[in-house]
Amino acid sequence: MPTASQVATHVPPADPAHPAVGAATSLLDGYRPGDRFLATPGRTLLASGTARPVPHDRRPLDERVTATLAEARASGQESPVVIGAVPFDHESPAALAVPAELRIAPPLASDPLIALPVGISGSANWRIRPVPAPEVYGAGVAAAVERMWRGEFSKVVLARTLELTSTEPLDLPAMLQRLARRDPVGYTFALPTGQGRTLIGASPELLVSRHGQQVVANPLAGSTPRSSDLAEDVRRAATLLESVKDLHEHAVVVDAVHQALAPHCAELTVPARPTLIRTATMWHLSTTVTGTLSSPDISALALACALHPTPAVCGTPTATARQVIAETEPFDRGFFTGVVGWGNAGGDGEWVVTIRCAEAEERTLRLYAGAGIVAASEPEAETAETAAKFRTFLSAVGAEL
């Protein structure tokens, strides 16, 4: 396996006429617990070992990462890359490191082998405990809606969890295979976040990427569950595109992204109306924001820190929404609704919103799902939306609600 100093951090786009057969899937197949795996629409990364962890101190996160990358380069790594996860709470320690070894391949979607069926066993013996119970979550939604009608705030994202306990050791490589093969065009990850803990998931949402002076953000807000019936699935998608509630929720998030990126961009293009993207379980309203940086000095991670948390995962106003989340959710979000991704010493990188994920430890998984609550929200509908979002991960472990 090559060292990080021997691997380029840029991967040219795959040629559809000459796909790289087996290059990306070999990295997926090579993942072992403790490794860092990240697949994006632009590349697939598999890292092992830790050359330099990013320290936790009073400096801003992007400054600490920049310093760590500079130290890695000074020690002989030609093209160091940092990879890992950042929590929802800015004050909590991040799980970022320059790996000792790194392999990079084209994206999973460009590898024809990703479409081949593989025999992957899942645990059939799960004990599932919702935290909080669905009716308690619904009551929290109702209370938040009442406060919004009183004018205290305009949106909050409230989450709930499922705690899954297995009678057998967790098979993280099998879970990762299922997540990646179910949606190879998304963002799939398995990253260590502490001793014996792994953050694993498949997110549809790019927070921000930077390549040279080009910036892309893809906020998602406004969702509806998909249907196995084609006609009903199309009807739901069309209804979402016309939903006043969801269009308003989406517009709030897009405006926040616009406001955060505008000071750093010489040009910024924000489409007037959203489009749709789909995952295996959900339809989402989507807007692709593109821009050109006014200065090459700001990194992808610095842009991510300026954006995080967007109203899509927190609410608005941000400070009030954070307080409502702390008062309502009976758990610490940890890395859920944080960001995962990679960045290099030149400032390029991709940072993804950490949703559709779980934290794995020994024989236990904690799954997370949230919904954007606005004044027009109904507790039953928001509870159903979170249940639909859980399906992404439940299918990866062979469990059902």
Side-chain angles (χ1 to χ4, degrees), residues 265-337:
C265 292
E267 298 177 3
L268 196 61
T269 300
V270 183
R273 283 186 62 85
T275 57
L276 287 173
I277 70 164
R278 64 188 179 190
T279 68
T281 59
M282 301 293 296
W283 286 104
H284 297 282
L285 292 177
S286 166
T287 295
T288 300
V289 178
T290 57
T292 303
L293 290 176
S294 53
S295 167
D297 296 334
I298 185 166
S299 69
L301 180 58
L303 292 170
C305 290
L307 287 163
H308 174 64
T310 72
V313 297
C314 182
T316 187
T318 302
T320 305
R322 279 186 178 276
Q323 184 61 36
V324 175
I325 289 168
E327 293 169 355
T328 308
E329 295 178 356
F331 53 85
D332 182 348
R333 285 192 178 186
F335 290 89
F336 172 64
T337 61

Side-chain angles (χ1 to χ4, degrees), residues 129-211:
R129 184 172 75 96
V131 180
E135 60 273 17
V136 176
Y137 177 79
V141 171
V145 168
E146 182 178 347
R147 292 177 64 179
M148 279 184 267
W149 280 108
R150 295 202 300 262
E152 294 184 35
F153 53 96
S154 57
K155 177 184 176 179
V156 66
V157 177
L158 293 179
R160 65 188 184 103
T161 74
L162 295 178
E163 291 184 356
L164 275 64
T165 304
S166 174
T167 57
E168 307 163 11
L170 300 181
D171 189 345
L172 294 180
M175 293 178 199
L176 186 65
Q177 287 274 356
R178 286 188 174 188
L179 290 167
R181 291 177 184 275
R182 192 175 194 195
D183 188 13
V185 298
Y187 301 87
T188 305
F189 51 89
L191 303 162
T193 55
Q195 186 64 40
R197 295 193 303 275
T198 300
L199 181 70
I200 182 170
S203 174
E205 185 171 0
L206 173 69
L207 180 62
V208 67
S209 68
R210 198 207 93 163
H211 301 286

Side-chain angles (χ1 to χ4, degrees), residues 17-350:
H18 301 89
V21 177
T25 51
S26 68
L27 300 192
L28 177 62
D29 295 342
Y31 167 79
R32 297 295 179 269
D35 291 344
R36 296 174 174 89
F37 179 89
L38 176 65
T40 80
R43 71 208 66 232
T44 305
L45 301 94
L46 178 64
S48 60
T50 298
R52 290 182 180 273
V54 174
H56 179 63
D57 56 39
R58 293 183 177 275
R59 292 174 295 169
L61 179 61
D62 60 299
E63 289 185 13
R64 286 181 271 142
V65 168
T66 297
T68 303
L69 288 167
E71 292 166 3
R73 175 176 281 178
S75 70
Q77 289 196 12
E78 183 179 346
S79 302
V81 171
V82 69
I83 183 171
V86 178
F88 174 67
D89 183 355
H90 280 281
E91 303 300 319
S92 297
L96 295 168
V98 176
E101 297 180 329
L102 176 65
R103 296 166 62 191
I104 304 179
L108 286 173
S110 73
D111 189 337
L113 298 185
I114 197 67
L116 294 179
V118 292
I120 305 170
S121 62
S123 172
N125 301 304
W126 291 105
R127 186 175 75 248
I128 302 177
R129 184 172 75 96
V131 180
E135 60 273 17
V136 176
Y137 177 79
V141 171
V145 168
E146 182 178 347
R147 292 177 64 179
M148 279 184 267
W149 280 108
R150 295 202 300 262
E152 294 184 35
F153 53 96
S154 57
K155 177 184 176 179
V156 66
V157 177
L158 293 179
R160 65 188 184 103
T161 74
L162 295 178
E163 291 184 356
L164 275 64
T165 304
S166 174
T167 57
E168 307 163 11
L170 300 181
D171 189 345
L172 294 180
M175 293 178 199
L176 186 65
Q177 287 274 356
R178 286 188 174 188
L179 290 167
R181 291 177 184 275
R182 192 175 194 195
D183 188 13
V185 298
Y187 301 87
T188 305
F189 51 89
L191 303 162
T193 55
Q195 186 64 40
R197 295 193 303 275
T198 300
L199 181 70
I200 182 170
S203 174
E205 185 171 0
L206 173 69
L207 180 62
V208 67
S209 68
R210 198 207 93 163
H211 301 286
Q213 289 190 247
Q214 301 307 304
V215 174
V216 178
N218 184 207
L220 309 181
S223 308
T224 194
R226 298 193 62 190
S227 171
S228 58
D229 178 81
L230 178 59
E232 174 62 15
D233 197 42
V234 172
R235 187 196 69 78
R236 291 183 184 184
T239 300
L240 180 61
L241 271 176
E242 300 300 326
S243 166
V244 173
K245 167 190 171 291
D246 290 290
L247 288 170
H248 170 70
E249 180 184 345
H250 187 81
V252 169
V253 177
V254 172
D255 182 63
V257 170
H258 185 182
Q259 296 297 324
L261 290 180
H264 307 291
C265 292
E267 298 177 3
L268 196 61
T269 300
V270 183
R273 283 186 62 85
T275 57
L276 287 173
I277 70 164
R278 64 188 179 190
T279 68
T281 59
M282 301 293 296
W283 286 104
H284 297 282
L285 292 177
S286 166
T287 295
T288 300
V289 178
T290 57
T292 303
L293 290 176
S294 53
S295 167
D297 296 334
I298 185 166
S299 69
L301 180 58
L303 292 170
C305 290
L307 287 163
H308 174 64
T310 72
V313 297
C314 182
T316 187
T318 302
T320 305
R322 279 186 178 276
Q323 184 61 36
V324 175
I325 289 168
E327 293 169 355
T328 308
E329 295 178 356
F331 53 85
D332 182 348
R333 285 192 178 186
F335 290 89
F336 172 64
T337 61
V339 294
V340 298
W342 69 272
N344 66 19
D348 288 349
E350 297 173 285

